[in-house]
Amino acid sequence: MLLLSIVTGNCTADGSVKNWEFNGFITQGYFDSDHNNFNGKSSSGSTDFREIAVNSAWRISGEVLLAGQVMSRRAGKVDDGDPRMDYLLIDYRFHETGDGFAGLRIGRIKNPFGFYNTTRDVAFTRPSIVLPQSLYFDKARDLELSADGAMLYGRHLLNEGWVESGLIIGKPHKDVSVEYAYLNYDWPGEFDDSRGFLWRSEYIHQDYSFRAGFTYGQFELDFDVDGTPALGAPGDGTVEIDIASFSLQYNLERWSITGEYMQQFIEWGSLGGIYGLDPKNTSESVYLQAEYRFSPSLSAFLRYDVLYIDKDDRNGNKAAMLFGRPNHTQFAKDWTLGIGWEPDEHWMLRAEWHTVQGTAWLAVQDNPSDVERQEEWNMFALQATYRF
């Protein structure tokens, strides 16, 4: 929605620039699983997922735009629904010619990661209810979503397309959900500081038939503990995260084929405790998705999504030996079939079915007991979104 217009500008039918725009959306979801929990107690049927957002943009001049979004997100025990500032930035386009443009954004900025991250909360911009959890972790959404800092971006036109690039430097968000996602527990102490950068470049063919992107980033999260940590618990230290991802998409009139691959290098040995037993590892994520459009308002997709917490321990044997965790907490393989319908420009209705082996992307908050998690499980999801 609005975030896309930050680059392209808001124009009326006669080409004039709108000075102000106001938008928003409301999303309600339902999740039902035979085992395990996702977005609430889905093993008993959960409506504990909703998103409410309002966003606005003010075109101060032809080169300067002010934009922001406030959002309330409820997602089981991961997000409590408290309103927060999703993004708030000032955008200055300091260079524009017939060959492209360049600009600078300052404030709270959506991270330019993969194909879907900048608009991941807007149902109309993605093909599914649940994005591929191997790359777009809902359990660590705040870390992936945005950062406070500055972003340099630009577009350069080529003979048959264009290249878009963006580099953001700043402080990624960190909260208790990030601690659960990366440390698997709410330990005494907290992430008290963060820093990092993220760079993405993407090539887009002029008719949008082909897109290819690359993302690379580095983040450091400082963990601070008051006093002496208990035996096995982490102490003062830093979690270092490096990511590299590749994105490809091929579009025909009715078909879209999309795939993304990511490796994430994590080093947490400086925390000590149990993290000294396995001080670093590299996770691996990949998905392949085929979407078919029956009509402009009706579409379906099939996706296979794979996550390995440690690419050198794909069956989870090392984690089971070192930490006593079930093997299936270290991987997830998800087949998803879904359908989406837009009865008009304001409404989006979706349904999808997941057949999953493994539990690697399930949130600890909704699944506190490793023993009670089941390796083989299925999930049905419904979602309705209204935008204005």
Side-chain angles (χ1 to χ4, degrees), residues 68-335:
Q69 175 171 285
V70 176
M71 184 173 187
S72 167
R73 186 175 192 269
R74 177 75 182 181
K77 295 183 178 180
V78 177
D79 284 301
D80 59 12
D82 288 346
R84 68 184 70 181
M85 187 62 66
D86 231 7
Y87 62 87
L88 179 63
L89 59 92
I90 187 166
D91 184 316
Y92 172 51
R93 188 169 296 182
F94 57 80
H95 174 74
E96 188 158 11
T97 67
D99 293 329
F101 56 78
L104 177 68
R105 297 174 188 151
I106 298 175
R108 178 163 294 178
I109 306 164
K110 288 287 189 76
N111 288 323
F113 168 69
F115 281 149
Y116 299 113
N117 197 61
T118 54
T119 57
R120 64 186 295 166
D121 296 323
V122 184
F124 289 82
T125 66
R126 62 177 189 258
S128 60
I129 297 173
V130 179
L131 282 172
Q133 290 299 290
S134 64
L135 277 83
Y136 301 96
F137 309 118
D138 281 345
K139 67 179 183 178
R141 171 183 175 275
D142 286 347
L143 180 66
E144 284 193 345
L145 185 67
S146 59
D148 297 333
M151 178 180 178
L152 187 66
Y153 69 91
R155 174 187 291 181
H156 180 67
L157 298 181
L158 305 173
N159 289 335
E160 297 184 349
W162 64 89
V163 174
E164 293 183 356
S165 295
L167 172 65
I168 183 171
I169 300 174
K171 292 179 175 292
H173 292 167
K174 71 281 180 197
D175 57 14
V176 69
S177 67
V178 176
E179 187 177 339
Y180 273 113
Y182 282 91
L183 303 183
N184 202 52
Y185 192 76
D186 181 14
W187 296 99
E190 62 182 5
F191 288 121
D192 67 344
D193 197 9
S194 63
R195 57 203 162 271
F197 74 88
L198 189 70
W199 166 60
R200 184 187 69 172
S201 284
E202 181 179 356
Y203 169 77
I204 304 170
H205 195 269
Q206 60 186 4
D207 62 359
Y208 288 90
S209 61
F210 178 73
R211 298 170 64 195
F214 174 72
T215 305
Y216 179 74
Q218 294 181 352
F219 304 99
E220 293 183 358
L221 309 178
D222 292 338
F223 193 74
D224 183 61
V225 178
D226 291 331
T228 303
L231 183 64
D236 292 348
T238 301
V239 177
E240 300 179 14
I241 305 169
D242 294 1
I243 64 169
S245 71
F246 298 89
S247 307
L248 293 172
Q249 185 176 77
Y250 183 59
N251 295 303
L252 299 170
E253 181 180 359
R254 292 187 178 270
W255 286 95
S256 289
I257 309 297
T258 306
E260 296 190 272
Y261 175 84
M262 179 179 75
Q263 287 197 1
Q264 183 175 205
F265 174 80
I266 303 173
E267 185 169 358
W268 49 37
S270 65
L271 300 179
I274 62 172
Y275 302 98
L277 300 176
D278 187 25
K280 62 182 69 174
N281 78 287
T282 302
S283 69
E284 188 172 48
S285 311
V286 64
Y287 76 86
L288 182 63
Q289 172 181 281
E291 180 184 10
Y292 182 76
R293 291 172 288 276
F294 299 96
S295 70
S297 62
L298 183 65
S299 63
F301 78 93
L302 177 66
R303 181 173 67 222
Y304 184 55
D305 183 27
V306 180
L307 168 64
Y308 297 107
I309 297 297
D310 186 343
K311 71 181 184 68
D312 297 321
D313 184 34
R314 298 190 177 206
N315 56 15
N317 287 338
K318 183 175 73 172
M321 180 182 65
L322 289 177
F323 308 113
R325 304 197 66 199
N327 296 56
H328 58 74
T329 63
Q330 304 303 298
F331 60 84
K333 305 172 184 179
D334 180 8
W335 281 100

